[in-house]
Amino acid sequence: MTKYTQKFKLDLIQEYLDAGCSLRQIESKYSLPKDTLKKWWAVYNLKGPEGLKLRHSKRNFTVDFKLHVINYYLNNDISMSKVAASHNLLPSQISIWLNLFMRHGLEALKSKKKGRPSKMSKSSKKSARKILKKESDEIKALKRELRQVKMERDILKKSLTLFGSSRPKTKR
């Protein structure tokens, strides 16, 4: 959630235009951080009221756009905050992109997958499922065989108790 609404920002800019006082005076009157109103004013001058709209979704930037912004900043004698205002970005974002580009090159500007990487690839998951199915079938077969062997054992035990042992008893 953002701290200031678009209406609040526009009201302060309108007050700046109407009252004739400085940006610093309005910032101190409303207890705003230093240069906040200055940034809003720069965005308002470049983009109009639409530039002060709140963003409700995460934005994804292509490598080409990031490279364009970095080139624009490096080739023109403009401050990072003005470049940010003209491209509707935060100056810190441009600074991050610039540092990544300077340290690691173009590859660092590419988007990376979010989240924890999977321990198994999709192909190994499929083979694991096949192995699991094969093993479960084998377990079922072994359980059937075990049941059969137990029944045979029980039959032999009963026959021994009913008919006695097949060996003749020797007297000593």
Side-chain angles (χ1 to χ4, degrees), residues 23-99:
L23 293 172
R24 300 258 179 191
Q25 290 172 331
I26 295 174
E27 283 175 347
S28 63
K29 178 180 174 183
Y30 291 98
S31 302
L32 293 173
K34 183 181 175 187
D35 292 334
T36 303
L37 194 56
K38 185 179 177 183
K39 291 174 191 172
W40 293 347
W41 176 247
V43 171
Y44 181 80
N45 282 332
L46 283 170
K47 305 268 183 182
E50 293 298 312
L52 297 175
K53 265 190 174 175
L54 301 176
R55 290 183 214 110
H56 294 289
S57 62
K58 184 179 176 188
R59 299 182 300 170
N60 292 322
F61 301 104
T62 63
V63 177
D64 293 334
F65 177 76
K66 294 175 186 178
L67 198 57
H68 167 73
V69 172
I70 291 170
N71 282 334
Y72 186 79
Y73 171 69
L74 293 175
N75 293 332
N76 297 314
D77 193 25
I78 302 174
S79 70
M80 199 173 284
S81 59
K82 287 185 180 178
V83 173
S86 68
H87 289 89
N88 202 12
L89 297 169
L90 295 173
S92 60
Q93 188 62 60
I94 297 173
S95 175
I96 290 168
W97 291 345
L98 182 63
N99 286 335

Coordinates of all heavy atoms in Angstrom, one line a residue, residues 23-99:
L23 N 8.4 24.7 -2.4 CA 8.1 23.3 -2.2 C 8.5 22.9 -0.8 O 7.9 22.1 -0.1 CB 8.9 22.5 -3.2 CG 8.5 22.7 -4.7 CD1 9.4 22.0 -5.6 CD2 7.1 22.1 -4.9
R24 N 9.7 23.4 -0.3 CA 10.1 23.1 1.1 C 9.1 23.5 2.1 O 8.9 22.7 3.1 CB 11.5 23.7 1.4 CG 12.6 23.4 0.4 CD 13.5 22.4 1.0 NE 14.5 22.1 0.0 CZ 15.3 21.1 0.1 NH1 15.3 20.3 1.1 NH2 16.1 20.9 -0.9
Q25 N 8.5 24.6 2.0 CA 7.5 25.0 3.0 C 6.3 24.1 3.0 O 5.8 23.8 4.1 CB 7.1 26.5 2.7 CG 8.1 27.5 2.9 CD 7.7 28.9 2.4 OE1 6.9 29.0 1.4 NE2 8.2 29.9 3.0
I26 N 5.9 23.7 1.8 CA 4.7 22.7 1.8 C 5.1 21.4 2.4 O 4.4 20.8 3.1 CB 4.2 22.6 0.4 CG1 3.6 24.0 -0.1 CG2 3.1 21.5 0.3 CD1 3.2 24.0 -1.5
E27 N 6.4 21.0 2.1 CA 6.9 19.7 2.6 C 6.9 19.7 4.2 O 6.5 18.8 4.8 CB 8.3 19.4 2.1 CG 8.3 18.8 0.7 CD 9.7 18.6 0.1 OE1 10.7 19.1 0.7 OE2 9.8 18.0 -0.9
S28 N 7.4 20.8 4.7 CA 7.5 20.9 6.2 C 6.1 21.1 6.8 O 5.8 20.6 7.9 CB 8.3 22.1 6.6 OG 7.8 23.3 6.1
K29 N 5.1 21.7 6.1 CA 3.8 21.9 6.5 C 3.1 20.5 6.7 O 2.3 20.3 7.6 CB 3.0 22.8 5.6 CG 1.5 23.0 5.9 CD 0.8 23.9 4.9 CE -0.6 24.0 5.2 NZ -1.3 24.8 4.1
Y30 N 3.3 19.6 5.7 CA 2.7 18.3 5.7 C 3.6 17.2 6.2 O 3.3 16.0 6.1 CB 2.2 18.0 4.3 CG 1.0 18.8 3.9 CD1 1.2 19.9 3.1 CD2 -0.3 18.6 4.3 CE1 0.1 20.7 2.7 CE2 -1.4 19.3 4.0 CZ -1.1 20.4 3.1 OH -2.2 21.2 2.8
S31 N 4.7 17.6 6.8 CA 5.7 16.6 7.3 C 6.1 15.5 6.3 O 6.2 14.4 6.6 CB 5.2 16.0 8.6 OG 4.9 16.9 9.6
L32 N 6.4 16.0 5.1 CA 6.9 15.1 4.0 C 8.4 15.0 4.1 O 9.1 15.9 4.4 CB 6.4 15.6 2.7 CG 4.9 15.6 2.4 CD1 4.7 16.4 1.1 CD2 4.4 14.2 2.3
P33 N 8.9 13.8 3.6 CA 10.4 13.7 3.5 C 10.9 14.7 2.5 O 10.2 15.2 1.6 CB 10.6 12.3 3.0 CG 9.3 11.6 3.4 CD 8.2 12.6 3.3
K34 N 12.2 15.1 2.7 CA 12.9 16.1 1.9 C 12.8 15.6 0.4 O 13.0 14.5 0.1 CB 14.3 16.2 2.3 CG 15.1 17.3 1.6 CD 16.5 17.3 2.1 CE 17.3 18.3 1.3 NZ 18.7 18.3 1.7
D35 N 12.5 16.6 -0.5 CA 12.5 16.4 -1.9 C 11.4 15.5 -2.5 O 11.3 15.2 -3.7 CB 13.8 15.9 -2.5 CG 15.0 16.9 -2.3 OD1 14.7 18.1 -2.3 OD2 16.1 16.4 -2.2
T36 N 10.4 15.1 -1.6 CA 9.3 14.3 -2.1 C 8.4 15.1 -3.0 O 8.1 14.7 -4.1 CB 8.5 13.8 -0.9 OG1 9.3 13.1 0.0 CG2 7.3 12.9 -1.4
L37 N 8.1 16.3 -2.6 CA 7.2 17.2 -3.5 C 7.9 17.6 -4.7 O 7.3 17.7 -5.8 CB 6.8 18.4 -2.7 CG 5.6 19.2 -3.2 CD1 4.4 18.3 -3.5 CD2 5.2 20.3 -2.3
K38 N 9.3 17.7 -4.6 CA 10.1 18.1 -5.8 C 10.0 17.0 -6.9 O 9.8 17.2 -8.1 CB 11.5 18.3 -5.4 CG 12.4 18.8 -6.5 CD 13.8 19.0 -5.9 CE 14.8 19.4 -7.0 NZ 16.2 19.5 -6.4
K39 N 10.0 15.7 -6.4 CA 9.9 14.6 -7.3 C 8.5 14.5 -7.9 O 8.4 14.3 -9.1 CB 10.2 13.3 -6.6 CG 11.6 13.1 -6.2 CD 11.8 11.9 -5.3 CE 13.2 11.8 -4.7 NZ 13.3 10.7 -3.7
W40 N 7.5 14.7 -7.1 CA 6.1 14.7 -7.6 C 5.9 15.8 -8.6 O 5.3 15.7 -9.7 CB 5.1 14.9 -6.5 CG 5.1 13.8 -5.5 CD1 5.6 12.5 -5.6 CD2 4.4 13.8 -4.2 NE1 5.4 11.8 -4.5 CE2 4.6 12.5 -3.6 CE3 3.7 14.8 -3.5 CZ2 4.1 12.2 -2.4 CZ3 3.2 14.4 -2.3 CH2 3.4 13.1 -1.7
W41 N 6.5 17.0 -8.4 CA 6.4 18.1 -9.3 C 7.1 17.8 -10.6 O 6.5 18.1 -11.7 CB 7.0 19.4 -8.6 CG 7.1 20.6 -9.5 CD1 8.2 21.2 -10.0 CD2 6.0 21.3 -10.0 NE1 7.8 22.3 -10.8 CE2 6.4 22.4 -10.8 CE3 4.6 21.2 -9.8 CZ2 5.6 23.3 -11.4 CZ3 3.8 22.1 -10.5 CH2 4.3 23.2 -11.3
A42 N 8.2 17.2 -10.6 CA 9.0 16.8 -11.8 C 8.1 15.8 -12.6 O 8.0 15.9 -13.9 CB 10.3 16.2 -11.5
V43 N 7.5 14.8 -12.0 CA 6.7 13.8 -12.7 C 5.4 14.5 -13.2 O 5.0 14.2 -14.4 CB 6.3 12.7 -11.7 CG1 5.3 11.8 -12.3 CG2 7.5 11.9 -11.3
Y44 N 4.9 15.4 -12.5 CA 3.7 16.1 -12.9 C 4.0 17.0 -14.1 O 3.2 17.0 -15.1 CB 3.2 17.0 -11.8 CG 1.9 17.8 -12.1 CD1 0.7 17.2 -12.1 CD2 2.0 19.1 -12.5 CE1 -0.5 17.9 -12.4 CE2 0.9 19.9 -12.8 CZ -0.4 19.2 -12.8 OH -1.5 19.9 -13.1
N45 N 5.2 17.6 -14.2 CA 5.5 18.4 -15.3 C 5.8 17.6 -16.6 O 5.5 18.0 -17.7 CB 6.8 19.3 -15.0 CG 6.5 20.5 -14.2 OD1 5.3 21.0 -14.3 ND2 7.4 20.9 -13.4
L46 N 6.3 16.4 -16.4 CA 6.6 15.5 -17.5 C 5.4 14.8 -18.0 O 5.1 14.7 -19.2 CB 7.7 14.5 -17.2 CG 9.1 15.0 -17.1 CD1 10.0 14.0 -16.5 CD2 9.6 15.4 -18.5
K47 N 4.6 14.2 -17.1 CA 3.5 13.3 -17.5 C 2.1 13.8 -17.2 O 1.2 13.2 -17.6 CB 3.7 11.9 -16.7 CG 5.0 11.2 -16.9 CD 5.0 10.3 -18.0 CE 6.3 9.6 -18.1 NZ 6.4 8.6 -19.1
G48 N 2.1 14.9 -16.4 CA 0.8 15.4 -16.0 C 0.2 14.6 -14.9 O 0.9 13.8 -14.2
P49 N -1.1 14.7 -14.6 CA -1.7 14.0 -13.5 C -1.7 12.5 -13.6 O -1.6 11.8 -12.6 CB -3.2 14.5 -13.5 CG -3.2 15.7 -14.4 CD -2.1 15.6 -15.3
E50 N -1.6 12.0 -14.8 CA -1.5 10.5 -15.0 C -0.2 10.0 -14.5 O -0.1 8.8 -14.1 CB -1.6 10.2 -16.5 CG -3.0 10.5 -17.1 CD -4.1 9.7 -16.5 OE1 -3.9 8.5 -16.3 OE2 -5.1 10.3 -16.1
G51 N 0.8 10.8 -14.4 CA 2.1 10.3 -13.9 C 2.1 10.0 -12.4 O 3.0 9.3 -11.9
L52 N 1.2 10.6 -11.7 CA 1.1 10.5 -10.3 C 0.1 9.3 -9.8 O -0.1 9.1 -8.7 CB 0.6 11.8 -9.6 CG 1.5 13.0 -9.8 CD1 0.9 14.2 -9.2 CD2 2.9 12.7 -9.2
K53 N -0.4 8.6 -10.8 CA -1.3 7.5 -10.5 C -0.6 6.4 -9.7 O 0.6 6.2 -9.9 CB -1.9 6.9 -11.8 CG -3.2 7.5 -12.2 CD -3.8 6.7 -13.3 CE -5.2 7.2 -13.6 NZ -5.8 6.5 -14.7
L54 N -1.4 5.7 -8.9 CA -0.8 4.6 -8.1 C -0.7 3.4 -9.0 O -1.6 3.2 -9.9 CB -1.7 4.3 -6.9 CG -1.9 5.5 -5.9 CD1 -2.9 5.0 -4.9 CD2 -0.6 5.8 -5.3
R55 N 0.3 2.6 -8.8 CA 0.5 1.4 -9.6 C 0.0 0.3 -8.7 O 0.3 0.1 -7.5 CB 1.9 1.1 -9.9 CG 2.5 2.1 -10.9 CD 3.9 1.7 -11.2 NE 4.7 2.9 -11.5 CZ 5.6 3.4 -10.7 NH1 5.9 2.8 -9.6 NH2 6.2 4.5 -11.0
H56 N -0.9 -0.6 -9.3 CA -1.5 -1.7 -8.5 C -1.0 -3.0 -8.9 O -1.4 -4.0 -8.4 CB -3.0 -1.7 -8.7 CG -3.7 -0.4 -8.0 ND1 -3.7 -0.2 -6.7 CD2 -4.2 0.7 -8.6 CE1 -4.3 0.9 -6.4 NE2 -4.6 1.5 -7.6
S57 N -0.1 -3.1 -9.9 CA 0.4 -4.4 -10.3 C 1.9 -4.3 -10.5 O 2.5 -3.2 -10.7 CB -0.2 -4.8 -11.6 OG 0.1 -3.9 -12.6
K58 N 2.5 -5.4 -10.4 CA 4.0 -5.4 -10.5 C 4.3 -5.3 -12.0 O 3.7 -5.9 -12.9 CB 4.5 -6.8 -10.0 CG 6.0 -6.9 -10.0 CD 6.5 -8.2 -9.5 CE 8.0 -8.3 -9.6 NZ 8.5 -9.6 -9.3
R59 N 5.3 -4.5 -12.3 CA 5.7 -4.3 -13.7 C 6.9 -5.1 -14.0 O 7.8 -5.2 -13.2 CB 6.0 -2.8 -14.0 CG 4.7 -2.0 -13.7 CD 5.0 -0.5 -14.0 NE 6.1 0.0 -13.2 CZ 6.6 1.2 -13.4 NH1 6.2 2.0 -14.4 NH2 7.6 1.7 -12.6
N60 N 6.9 -5.7 -15.2 CA 8.1 -6.4 -15.7 C 8.7 -5.7 -16.9 O 8.0 -5.2 -17.8 CB 7.7 -7.9 -16.1 CG 7.3 -8.7 -15.0 OD1 7.8 -8.6 -13.9 ND2 6.2 -9.5 -15.2
F61 N 10.0 -5.5 -16.8 CA 10.7 -4.7 -17.9 C 11.6 -5.7 -18.7 O 12.2 -6.5 -18.2 CB 11.5 -3.6 -17.2 CG 10.8 -2.7 -16.4 CD1 10.8 -2.7 -15.0 CD2 9.9 -1.7 -17.0 CE1 10.1 -1.9 -14.2 CE2 9.2 -0.8 -16.2 CZ 9.3 -0.9 -14.8
T62 N 11.6 -5.4 -20.0 CA 12.4 -6.2 -20.9 C 13.9 -5.7 -20.8 O 14.2 -4.6 -20.3 CB 11.9 -6.1 -22.3 OG1 12.1 -4.7 -22.7 CG2 10.5 -6.5 -22.5
V63 N 14.7 -6.6 -21.3 CA 16.2 -6.3 -21.3 C 16.4 -5.0 -22.2 O 17.2 -4.2 -21.8 CB 17.0 -7.5 -21.8 CG1 18.5 -7.1 -21.8 CG2 16.8 -8.6 -20.9
D64 N 15.7 -5.0 -23.3 CA 15.8 -3.8 -24.2 C 15.4 -2.5 -23.5 O 16.1 -1.5 -23.7 CB 15.0 -4.0 -25.4 CG 15.4 -5.2 -26.3 OD1 16.6 -5.5 -26.2 OD2 14.6 -5.8 -27.0
F65 N 14.4 -2.5 -22.7 CA 13.9 -1.3 -22.0 C 15.0 -0.9 -21.0 O 15.3 0.3 -20.9 CB 12.6 -1.5 -21.4 CG 12.1 -0.3 -20.6 CD1 11.6 0.8 -21.2 CD2 12.2 -0.3 -19.2 CE1 11.2 1.9 -20.5 CE2 11.8 0.8 -18.5 CZ 11.3 1.9 -19.1
K66 N 15.5 -1.9 -20.2 CA 16.5 -1.6 -19.2 C 17.7 -1.0 -19.9 O 18.3 0.0 -19.4 CB 16.9 -2.8 -18.4 CG 15.7 -3.4 -17.6 CD 16.1 -4.7 -17.0 CE 15.0 -5.3 -16.2 NZ 15.4 -6.6 -15.6
L67 N 18.1 -1.6 -21.0 CA 19.3 -1.1 -21.7 C 19.1 0.3 -22.3 O 20.0 1.2 -22.2 CB 19.7 -2.1 -22.8 CG 21.1 -2.0 -23.4 CD1 22.1 -2.1 -22.3 CD2 21.3 -3.0 -24.4
H68 N 17.9 0.6 -22.8 CA 17.5 1.9 -23.3 C 17.6 2.9 -22.2 O 18.2 4.0 -22.4 CB 16.1 1.9 -23.9 CG 15.6 3.2 -24.1 ND1 16.0 4.0 -25.2 CD2 14.6 3.9 -23.5 CE1 15.3 5.1 -25.2 NE2 14.5 5.1 -24.1
V69 N 17.1 2.6 -21.0 CA 17.1 3.6 -19.9 C 18.6 3.8 -19.5 O 19.0 5.0 -19.2 CB 16.3 3.1 -18.7 CG1 16.5 3.9 -17.5 CG2 14.8 3.0 -19.1
I70 N 19.4 2.8 -19.4 CA 20.8 3.0 -19.0 C 21.6 3.8 -20.0 O 22.3 4.7 -19.7 CB 21.5 1.6 -18.8 CG1 20.9 0.9 -17.6 CG2 23.0 1.7 -18.7 CD1 21.3 -0.6 -17.5
N71 N 21.3 3.5 -21.3 CA 22.0 4.3 -22.4 C 21.6 5.8 -22.3 O 22.4 6.7 -22.5 CB 21.7 3.7 -23.7 CG 22.5 2.5 -24.0 OD1 23.6 2.3 -23.5 ND2 22.0 1.6 -24.9
Y72 N 20.3 6.0 -22.1 CA 19.7 7.3 -22.0 C 20.4 8.1 -20.9 O 20.8 9.3 -21.0 CB 18.2 7.3 -21.8 CG 17.5 8.6 -21.8 CD1 17.3 9.3 -23.1 CD2 17.2 9.3 -20.7 CE1 16.7 10.5 -23.1 CE2 16.6 10.5 -20.7 CZ 16.3 11.1 -21.9 OH 15.7 12.4 -21.9
Y73 N 20.6 7.4 -19.7 CA 21.2 8.1 -18.6 C 22.7 8.4 -18.8 O 23.2 9.5 -18.5 CB 21.1 7.2 -17.3 CG 21.9 7.7 -16.2 CD1 21.5 8.9 -15.5 CD2 23.0 7.0 -15.7 CE1 22.3 9.3 -14.4 CE2 23.7 7.5 -14.6 CZ 23.4 8.6 -14.0 OH 24.1 9.1 -13.0
L74 N 23.4 7.4 -19.4 CA 24.8 7.6 -19.7 C 25.1 8.6 -20.8 O 26.1 9.3 -20.7 CB 25.5 6.2 -20.0 CG 25.5 5.2 -18.8 CD1 26.0 3.9 -19.3 CD2 26.3 5.7 -17.7
N75 N 24.3 8.6 -21.8 CA 24.6 9.5 -23.0 C 24.1 10.9 -22.8 O 24.6 11.8 -23.5 CB 24.0 8.8 -24.2 CG 24.7 7.5 -24.6 OD1 25.9 7.3 -24.3 ND2 24.0 6.7 -25.3
N76 N 23.2 11.1 -21.9 CA 22.7 12.5 -21.7 C 23.1 13.0 -20.4 O 23.3 12.3 -19.5 CB 21.1 12.5 -21.8 CG 20.6 12.1 -23.2 OD1 21.1 12.5 -24.2 ND2 19.7 11.2 -23.2
D77 N 23.3 14.3 -20.3 CA 23.8 14.9 -19.1 C 22.6 15.3 -18.2 O 22.3 16.5 -18.0 CB 24.6 16.2 -19.4 CG 25.4 16.7 -18.2 OD1 25.7 15.8 -17.3 OD2 25.7 17.9 -18.2
I78 N 21.9 14.3 -17.8 CA 20.7 14.4 -17.0 C 20.8 13.6 -15.7 O 21.4 12.6 -15.7 CB 19.4 14.0 -17.8 CG1 19.3 14.7 -19.1 CG2 18.1 14.1 -16.9 CD1 18.2 14.2 -20.0
S79 N 20.2 14.1 -14.6 CA 20.3 13.4 -13.4 C 19.5 12.2 -13.4 O 18.6 12.0 -14.2 CB 19.8 14.3 -12.2 OG 18.4 14.5 -12.3
M80 N 19.8 11.2 -12.5 CA 19.1 9.9 -12.5 C 17.7 10.1 -12.1 O 16.8 9.4 -12.6 CB 19.8 9.0 -11.5 CG 19.5 7.6 -11.7 SD 20.4 6.4 -10.7 CE 22.0 6.4 -11.5
S81 N 17.4 11.1 -11.3 CA 16.0 11.3 -10.9 C 15.1 11.9 -12.0 O 14.0 11.5 -12.2 CB 15.9 12.3 -9.7 OG 16.5 13.5 -10.0
K82 N 15.7 12.7 -12.9 CA 15.0 13.2 -14.1 C 14.8 12.1 -15.1 O 13.7 12.0 -15.7 CB 15.8 14.3 -14.7 CG 15.7 15.6 -13.9 CD 16.3 16.8 -14.6 CE 16.2 18.0 -13.7 NZ 16.8 19.2 -14.3
V83 N 15.8 11.2 -15.3 CA 15.6 10.0 -16.2 C 14.5 9.1 -15.6 O 13.7 8.7 -16.4 CB 16.9 9.3 -16.3 CG1 16.7 8.0 -17.1 CG2 18.0 10.1 -17.0
A84 N 14.5 8.9 -14.3 CA 13.5 8.1 -13.7 C 12.1 8.7 -13.8 O 11.2 8.0 -14.2 CB 13.8 7.9 -12.2
A85 N 12.0 10.0 -13.7 CA 10.7 10.7 -13.8 C 10.2 10.6 -15.3 O 9.0 10.3 -15.5 CB 10.8 12.1 -13.4
S86 N 11.1 10.7 -16.2 CA 10.7 10.7 -17.6 C 10.3 9.3 -18.1 O 9.5 9.1 -19.0 CB 11.8 11.2 -18.5 OG 12.9 10.3 -18.5
H87 N 10.8 8.2 -17.4 CA 10.5 6.8 -17.8 C 9.5 6.2 -16.7 O 9.2 5.0 -16.8 CB 11.7 6.0 -17.9 CG 12.5 6.3 -19.1 ND1 13.5 7.3 -19.1 CD2 12.5 5.8 -20.3 CE1 14.1 7.3 -20.3 NE2 13.5 6.5 -21.0
N88 N 9.0 7.0 -15.8 CA 8.1 6.6 -14.8 C 8.6 5.4 -13.9 O 8.0 4.4 -13.8 CB 6.7 6.2 -15.4 CG 5.6 6.3 -14.4 OD1 5.8 6.8 -13.3 ND2 4.5 5.7 -14.8
L89 N 9.9 5.6 -13.5 CA 10.6 4.6 -12.7 C 11.1 5.3 -11.4 O 11.0 6.5 -11.2 CB 11.8 4.1 -13.4 CG 11.6 3.3 -14.7 CD1 12.9 3.1 -15.4 CD2 10.9 2.0 -14.4
L90 N 11.6 4.5 -10.5 CA 12.3 5.1 -9.3 C 13.8 5.2 -9.6 O 14.4 4.4 -10.3 CB 12.1 4.1 -8.1 CG 10.7 3.9 -7.6 CD1 10.6 2.8 -6.6 CD2 10.1 5.2 -7.1
P91 N 14.4 6.2 -9.1 CA 15.8 6.4 -9.3 C 16.7 5.2 -8.8 O 17.7 4.8 -9.4 CB 16.2 7.7 -8.6 CG 14.9 8.4 -8.4 CD 13.8 7.4 -8.4
S92 N 16.2 4.6 -7.7 CA 16.9 3.5 -7.2 C 16.9 2.3 -8.2 O 17.9 1.5 -8.2 CB 16.4 3.1 -5.8 OG 15.0 2.7 -6.0
Q93 N 15.8 2.2 -8.9 CA 15.7 1.1 -9.9 C 16.8 1.2 -11.0 O 17.4 0.3 -11.4 CB 14.3 1.0 -10.5 CG 14.1 -0.3 -11.3 CD 14.3 -1.5 -10.5 OE1 13.6 -1.8 -9.6 NE2 15.2 -2.4 -10.9
I94 N 16.9 2.5 -11.5 CA 17.9 2.7 -12.5 C 19.3 2.5 -12.0 O 20.1 1.9 -12.7 CB 17.7 4.2 -13.0 CG1 16.4 4.3 -13.7 CG2 18.8 4.5 -14.0 CD1 16.0 5.8 -14.1
S95 N 19.5 2.9 -10.7 CA 20.8 2.7 -10.1 C 21.2 1.2 -10.0 O 22.3 0.8 -10.3 CB 20.8 3.3 -8.7 OG 22.0 3.1 -8.1
I96 N 20.2 0.4 -9.6 CA 20.4 -1.1 -9.5 C 20.7 -1.6 -10.9 O 21.7 -2.4 -11.1 CB 19.1 -1.7 -8.9 CG1 19.0 -1.4 -7.5 CG2 19.2 -3.2 -9.1 CD1 17.6 -1.7 -6.9
W97 N 19.9 -1.3 -11.9 CA 20.2 -1.8 -13.3 C 21.6 -1.4 -13.8 O 22.3 -2.2 -14.4 CB 19.1 -1.2 -14.2 CG 17.8 -1.8 -14.1 CD1 17.4 -2.9 -13.3 CD2 16.5 -1.2 -14.6 NE1 16.0 -3.1 -13.4 CE2 15.5 -2.1 -14.1 CE3 16.2 -0.2 -15.4 CZ2 14.2 -1.8 -14.5 CZ3 14.9 0.1 -15.7 CH2 13.9 -0.8 -15.3
L98 N 22.0 -0.1 -13.5 CA 23.3 0.4 -13.9 C 24.4 -0.4 -13.3 O 25.3 -0.8 -13.9 CB 23.4 1.9 -13.6 CG 24.7 2.6 -14.1 CD1 24.8 2.5 -15.6 CD2 24.7 4.0 -13.6
N99 N 24.3 -0.6 -12.0 CA 25.3 -1.4 -11.2 C 25.4 -2.8 -11.7 O 26.5 -3.3 -11.9 CB 25.0 -1.4 -9.7 CG 25.4 0.0 -9.1 OD1 26.2 0.7 -9.6 ND2 24.7 0.3 -8.0

